[in-house]
Amino acid sequence: MLAMLGRALYRARWFALLAGFVVVLGAALFGSGLFPLLKGGGFADPNSQSAKAQELLDRQLGGSTADIVILMRSDTLAATDAAFAQTASQLLDPLRSKPGVASVTSYYSTHSARFLSRDGHETFAIVQLASTDQTLKDKQYKALLPFIRSAAPSLQVSVGGALAVNAAVNAQVSADLERAEMITFPVVGVLLFLVFAGLVAAGLPLLIGGIAIVGAFAFLHFLTGLTDISIFAINVVTVLGLGLAIDYALFIVTRFREELALNGGDSRAALERTLTTAGRTVLFSGLTVSVSLLGLLLFPEGFLRSMGLGAIGAVVVAMVAALTILPALLAVLGRRVNALSLQRLFRQVTPVGRSAESRGAWYRLSGFVMRFPIPVALVALAILVTLGLPFLRASFSTPDYRVLPAGQESRVVSERLSQDFARQGASEILIAIRTSGDALSADNLAALQTYVGQIAAMPNVIAVQSLVTVDPSLTLADYQQLYAQPSANPQLTSVASQLVHGDATKVVVELQSAEFSSATVAATQHIRALHAPAGMRPLVAGETAYQMDLFSNLRATLPYALLVIALAIFVLLFLMTGSVIMPLKAIALNTLSLSATFGALVWIFQDGHFTQILNFQSNGSIDGTQTILIFALAFGLSMDYEVFLLSRIKERFDATGNNRAAVASGLQRTGWLITSAAMLLAVVLAAFSTSRIIFIQQIGVGLAIAVIVDATLVRALLVPATMRLLGRWNWWAPAPLRALWRRVGLSESEGAAAPTYAPSTGRDEARDLVEPSRV
């Protein structure tokens, strides 16, 4: 199939290039409108109790989080002074009548002390917007922002809240992306020039990388019409598409130059052979990386699902570009691919015979490893285990405003609200309650008092805010009478309006314990276990409840995701190699390699090492969702290099039947290539680790470490050592599977059959000999 594709692309090379140009141009135009369509958040399980509570709060009770928080301060005036109040009213009063504004709550409308800072010089107002559509709310926020900043010139006004954090994240992601691309392209260009020792050959991977980014943006734009896509997907899709496109192009161009030299400059034959061998490897690699990301689609969290969809799209775009546009370019260039070459000054990349191959550094390295496989394997394993030990004490957290860099305005507002304003408790539990009929009816108020009484009697509870606890001096009968006649007590009615709407009411529980502490977790579980009175359906939310629900879902879904990843990779590698041992070994080694990656992440981001170099502020934990994302991405990238190495080993093994010689030859042919690809990908990842969004940094650093560890300790040492130890068992499969592979297997070498095995002779070399069967 790929040989036919090579012949077709050679014959229609100019048409293929023209068609590719039109497609890329259309993708660029279509993808340019992506950013306004991306969503923030997406970290919650939409089916969890906390998410359902948040939905009810947002729909009927003014929201579970503040849309906009306006923080006002004066160094000379107290917030209760008439001059301060008059200036604040110039901002807050007109704001109530602005389009889309549902409510403005402040000290001046409630006279509640919770709106006053400890020093008395600060106050804040909460602005809730009427719409529940995130895109519309973002637009309304941008329209309101100029008025908010200019309406109270004598006060120090800062803006925070959920919409401000969203806007700040979007702006930071865009800035990070632009900076990363400015770093990546010139650095990678120089490295490619050194790898290829020529300008033309070095430019091709960069071109394919740019096409991959354009195509990935267009694919994400398409996905926004089907589902919500996280703003954070931009960074991951860009780095994955760019990195893999460069890797694939590096592999294709290198093989084309080799085949060009072996075929006397015959471009057609070289292209056909390149796609038959390296093209098939790229196809397998793309499929392997893609299926390793399928597990992300099992998670209900929009963040992980959109990351999975976007990453799969980026991989497919990179693979398709490397298998269509790049071969067409090579067909047009022919021998000119070596133009502007400096091969006389740099290493020759074209092989010149088996004797030269056996003198290569990677061949000698593999020989050393296979002479001492047990000591080498034990040393490599000891290093990986040591690197992975910090992961045993990993502490996980969920994203909040602290993902933004220190000093960013919306983050500062959140920090000042926590530090400058007194709270009754160290943590809060929100309860959204659906009632049968009007929540203010006498029966529902009586049921609510019974429910609230159970909560108030719990240990660790400091206070409970509800319809029946507004004024401790009032009895249930008083509340029933006053709510039946709202005009009798306007102040009570004003307070109650923030806690009830129709058949929904809100209860706020103040706890003595801190958020995410074991005591707060226990209190949340206790409240959820309470028997609610008839006619009441309580839903418990809050920061701790949200994290509990998220981690519970991640733990429940993760085994299925891992099973999907393992099975899919097993099937693909079996189809490639005809062996059941190779896939199992690859999965085991990759898992071990990733433990070292996660250990390094804990040591850096949780323990706070390299904070000055990476410019981040540790919060004593690592993000729980990013751990799953990094695992899926790093597992796929590791399999990318596994396919690169195994393809050449299998090609030589099918030709010779000698396991030991095949490993040495495969490592010599691909060792420098895998190292170069890993170096280039690590540069791309390192550029994205300059992001000021901390969990994007974690993704960049984690993947860079994974790639480097995999290309060195695993591919260069553990793979040849384990293949030497396994010997003939590397290529073993049960007879029924061997027969199946003969029918449906996709070998890199044409005409290869599943091997059978000669008995061991007891000698080192003879132990690795395998005689291919004839079919």
Side-chain angles (χ1 to χ4, degrees):
M1 181 184 70
L2 289 171
M4 292 174 57
L5 176 62
R7 289 191 293 269
L9 287 172
Y10 186 85
R11 287 195 302 268
R13 52 193 178 276
W14 287 108
F15 174 79
L17 282 181
L18 178 61
F21 173 78
V22 171
V23 171
V24 171
L25 180 61
L29 295 174
F30 184 65
S32 62
L34 171 64
F35 273 88
L37 303 176
L38 299 175
K39 308 290 186 181
F43 298 99
D45 172 10
N47 300 313
S48 66
Q49 185 176 153
S50 57
K52 292 178 179 177
Q54 181 174 330
E55 182 183 359
L56 178 57
L57 290 167
D58 289 343
R59 188 173 62 249
Q60 288 188 238
L61 296 166
S64 58
T65 56
D67 287 334
I68 305 172
V69 175
I70 304 172
L71 185 64
M72 297 169 284
R73 177 177 178 82
S74 171
D75 293 331
T76 58
L77 298 173
T80 54
D81 290 345
F84 193 117
Q86 183 178 1
T87 305
S89 66
Q90 295 174 5
L91 165 59
L92 302 180
D93 291 346
L95 194 58
R96 290 185 174 87
S97 60
K98 293 290 183 181
V101 174
S103 66
V104 178
T105 308
S106 68
Y107 169 78
Y108 307 105
S109 63
T110 65
H111 297 288
S112 171
R114 76 184 187 94
F115 288 96
L116 297 177
S117 64
R118 290 186 179 91
D119 67 1
H121 289 274
E122 284 179 296
T123 187
F124 67 93
I126 297 174
V127 181
Q128 296 295 147
L129 302 185
S131 176
T132 57
D133 180 76
Q134 187 62 46
T135 302
L136 179 57
K137 290 172 81 168
D138 288 337
K139 291 179 180 178
Q140 291 172 337
Y141 166 73
K142 291 178 182 178
L144 292 172
L145 194 57
F147 172 77
I148 294 173
R149 294 200 181 283
S150 62
S154 62
L155 299 179
Q156 301 168 28
V157 176
S158 302
V159 183
L163 296 179
V165 170
N166 256 3
V169 166
N170 290 355
Q172 191 66 58
V173 166
S174 300
D176 290 344
L177 189 61
E178 184 178 343
R179 181 176 61 254
E181 289 174 347
M182 290 178 65
I183 295 171
T184 298
F185 278 96
V187 175
V188 169
V190 171
L191 292 175
L192 284 169
F193 175 72
L194 295 176
V195 169
F196 283 118
L199 286 175
V200 174
L204 293 175
L206 280 179
L207 177 62
I208 299 302
I211 291 172
I213 291 176
V214 169
F217 277 25
F219 181 72
L220 282 180
H221 193 165
F222 168 75
L223 288 179
T224 58
L226 305 176
T227 184
D228 289 345
I229 298 296
S230 169
I231 180 68
F232 304 110
I234 283 288
N235 297 71
V236 172
V237 166
T238 301
V239 67
L240 197 62
L242 177 61
L244 286 179
I246 290 174
D247 277 7
Y248 294 161
L250 179 67
F251 202 66
I252 294 283
V253 172
T254 299
R255 189 62 182 251
F256 180 76
R257 296 173 85 189
E258 289 182 10
E259 296 297 338
L260 204 60
L262 291 173
N263 287 279
D266 184 345
S267 299
R268 180 172 182 171
L271 186 66
E272 183 177 336
R273 181 62 182 164
T274 295
L275 286 186
T276 302
T277 54
R280 185 166 290 156
T281 300
V282 168
L283 177 62
F284 262 107
S285 174
L287 293 175
T288 304
V289 176
S290 296
V291 298
S292 73
L293 297 167
L294 286 176
L296 293 176
L297 304 186
L298 298 181
F299 292 93
E301 290 79 13
F303 171 82
L304 290 174
R305 288 176 60 85
S306 64
M307 287 289 191
L309 287 169
I312 290 171
V315 174
V316 171
V317 169
M319 179 184 70
V320 171
L323 292 178
T324 54
I325 297 176
L326 180 58
L329 279 169
L330 292 174
V332 170
L333 288 171
R335 285 178 291 181
R336 292 188 296 274
V337 72
N338 294 316
L340 303 177
S341 176
L342 300 177
Q343 287 187 5
R344 292 183 178 180
L345 299 179
F346 294 91
R347 169 183 62 81
Q348 281 279 357
V349 297
T350 305
V352 293
R354 293 297 305 278
S355 61
E357 178 181 274
S358 65
R359 294 195 299 269
W362 289 98
Y363 195 98
R364 294 196 299 272
L365 174 64
S366 67
F368 172 80
V369 171
M370 287 190 287
R371 277 198 303 274
F372 309 101
I374 294 178
V376 169
L378 289 177
V379 170
L381 288 172
I383 295 173
L384 290 175
V385 170
T386 301
L387 290 174
L389 286 177
F391 190 59
L392 296 176
R393 52 180 172 79
S395 174
F396 300 106
S397 60
T398 48
D400 56 22
Y401 64 86
R402 291 174 296 176
V403 303
L404 290 167
Q408 200 283 329
E409 182 183 8
S410 54
R411 173 172 176 168
V412 169
V413 169
S414 296
E415 290 171 340
R416 286 170 62 183
L417 288 175
S418 176
Q419 297 166 6
D420 297 352
F421 291 81
R423 283 176 55 176
Q424 284 186 289
S427 61
E428 283 185 351
I429 296 177
L430 299 177
I431 307 173
I433 301 174
R434 177 81 72 183
T435 60
S436 298
D438 187 359
L440 292 175
S441 69
D443 290 342
N444 283 328
L445 288 173
L448 180 62
Q449 186 178 59
T450 301
Y451 182 66
V452 167
Q454 296 180 63
I455 296 173
M458 288 170 48
N460 194 26
V461 173
I462 295 176
V464 181
Q465 301 174 29
S466 71
L467 288 172
V468 293
T469 56
V470 176
D471 187 341
S473 65
L474 297 178
T475 64
L476 174 61
D478 294 332
Y479 284 118
Q480 291 172 328
Q481 182 177 359
L482 289 170
Y483 288 136
Q485 301 174 357
S487 58
N489 192 330
Q491 186 173 355
L492 179 68
T493 303
S494 175
V495 175
S497 66
Q498 302 172 41
L499 298 172
V500 67
H501 185 275
D503 63 348
T505 185
K506 176 170 66 174
V507 175
V508 181
V509 182
E510 301 279 354
L511 300 180
Q512 190 173 11
S513 55
E515 293 286 4
F516 315 120
S517 66
S518 58
T520 304
V521 169
T524 303
Q525 292 171 335
H526 189 168
I527 291 174
R528 284 181 168 176
L530 288 176
H531 178 69
M536 293 182 59
R537 296 185 298 279
L539 297 169
V540 179
E543 293 183 30
T544 299
Y546 159 74
Q547 180 168 288
M548 289 169 58
D549 289 344
L550 175 61
F551 287 172
S552 175
N553 174 259
L554 294 181
R555 285 192 297 269
T557 310
L558 184 58
Y560 299 101
L562 295 178
L563 182 62
V564 168
I565 293 172
L567 285 177
I569 287 177
F570 180 89
V571 170
L572 278 174
L573 288 184
F574 168 74
L575 290 175
M576 177 183 171
T577 64
S579 164
V580 297
I581 301 299
M582 285 294 194
L584 293 175
K585 178 175 67 67
I587 292 170
L589 290 181
N590 280 8
T591 303
L592 185 63
S593 172
L594 287 178
S595 68
T597 298
F598 291 132
L601 279 178
V602 169
W603 188 78
I604 294 171
F605 289 98
Q606 180 174 309
D607 297 347
H609 294 94
F610 302 140
T611 55
Q612 298 300 318
I613 296 174
L614 295 174
N615 194 21
F616 73 93
Q617 189 176 70
S618 174
N619 58 14
S621 62
I622 57 175
D623 191 296
T625 54
Q626 308 318 309
T627 306
I628 292 173
L629 179 62
I630 291 171
F631 180 89
L633 293 173
F635 206 90
L637 293 174
S638 298
M639 284 300 172
D640 181 38
Y641 297 132
E642 179 79 6
V643 169
F644 281 7
L645 179 57
L646 284 183
S647 64
R648 278 299 182 98
I649 293 175
K650 185 69 167 64
E651 182 181 352
R652 179 60 63 186
F653 179 76
D654 287 342
T656 66
N658 188 324
N659 179 72
R660 186 167 182 171
V663 173
S665 175
L667 192 60
Q668 171 60 26
R669 294 294 186 97
T670 61
W672 75 271
L673 186 60
I674 289 174
T675 304
S676 300
M679 175 180 62
L680 292 167
L681 184 55
V683 167
V684 175
L685 293 164
F688 281 85
S689 69
T690 62
S691 171
R692 301 300 307 281
I693 305 292
I694 188 169
F695 64 72
I696 297 295
Q697 278 189 312
Q698 290 179 13
I699 295 171
V701 172
L703 292 180
I705 293 172
V707 165
I708 293 169
V709 168
D710 187 80
T712 53
L713 289 174
V714 177
R715 302 302 149 212
L717 299 178
L718 275 176
V719 168
T722 53
M723 291 191 74
R724 174 69 181 87
L725 290 171
L726 288 169
R728 62 179 183 169
W729 291 101
N730 282 302
W731 312 102
W732 179 83
L737 290 181
R738 287 204 302 272
L740 176 66
W741 185 80
R742 290 190 185 100
R743 295 176 62 87
V744 301
L746 299 172
S747 172
E748 174 123 332
S749 301
E750 296 178 1
T756 56
Y757 307 104
S760 174
T761 65
R763 299 171 61 92
D764 285 347
E765 288 296 324
R767 189 181 301 141
D768 295 316
L769 290 176
V770 182
E771 180 65 31
S773 63
R774 303 298 180 192
V775 293

